[in-house]
Amino acid sequence: QVELKESGGDSVQSGGSLTLSCKTNKYTDSRLSRYCMGWFRQAPGNEREGVASIAPDDFTTYADSVKGRFTISQDKAKSTVYLQMNSLKEDDTAIYYCAPVPRLRTGWCFPDPDFDDWGQGTQVTVSQ
């Protein structure tokens, strides 16, 4: 069973920065060794959306809305994925989740639409 524990969310003013952490068993469970890790977010009234992903070889992808502002990274020894968020905007307000993401043969990380084992997430609130 996948283990996901998000932390680091806080309230911050526009232009501020936060770093989120995701402790997961992805790096110790051999069944998940080929998976990417992804960050997702869901704001009130909105659907859950992908934010960023990182593959085992550190290949990364980002949603257009966060490119140049967010950076995803991983520390396999600490079994942790990070999301560094800079220049935060009010539109970034959401609950942020992490999850394993299947990697396609093409090399891209593509979310599993049937995934339903989300953690509690961590709240990020950005005020004007």
Side-chain angles (χ1 to χ4, degrees):
Q1 183 176 339
V2 62
E3 298 177 3
L4 303 164
K5 185 179 180 181
E6 302 92 344
S7 63
D10 205 350
S11 297
V12 64
Q13 294 182 349
S14 297
S17 299
L18 285 173
T19 299
L20 307 182
S21 298
C22 169
K23 188 73 162 55
T24 178
N25 65 334
K26 177 259 190 289
Y27 302 102
T28 56
D29 189 336
S30 61
R31 296 171 295 179
L32 301 174
S33 63
R34 297 180 181 179
Y35 279 65
C36 307
M37 285 297 299
W39 281 99
F40 304 80
R41 67 186 182 185
Q42 185 170 26
N46 292 353
E47 298 293 324
R48 198 191 311 268
E49 63 176 349
V51 176
S53 68
I54 185 166
D57 63 358
D58 290 330
F59 177 80
T60 58
T61 60
Y62 298 92
D64 288 341
S65 59
V66 307
K67 285 182 179 178
R69 299 188 299 118
F70 291 11
T71 302
I72 187 172
S73 62
Q74 60 191 342
D75 187 331
K76 299 175 182 179
K78 295 182 178 180
S79 296
T80 302
V81 182
Y82 304 96
L83 185 67
Q84 180 183 326
M85 305 183 294
N86 299 322
S87 302
L88 283 163
K89 306 174 181 179
E90 188 173 10
D91 287 347
D92 296 319
T93 295
I95 301 176
Y96 285 71
Y97 304 87
C98 62
V101 178
R103 192 178 196 184
L104 304 180
R105 294 177 181 177
T106 59
W108 292 98
C109 305
F110 195 86
D112 179 2
D114 295 325
F115 182 78
D116 195 27
D117 198 17
W118 303 98
Q120 292 295 308
T122 185
Q123 177 71 53
V124 172
T125 302
V126 185
S127 62
Q128 296 179 343

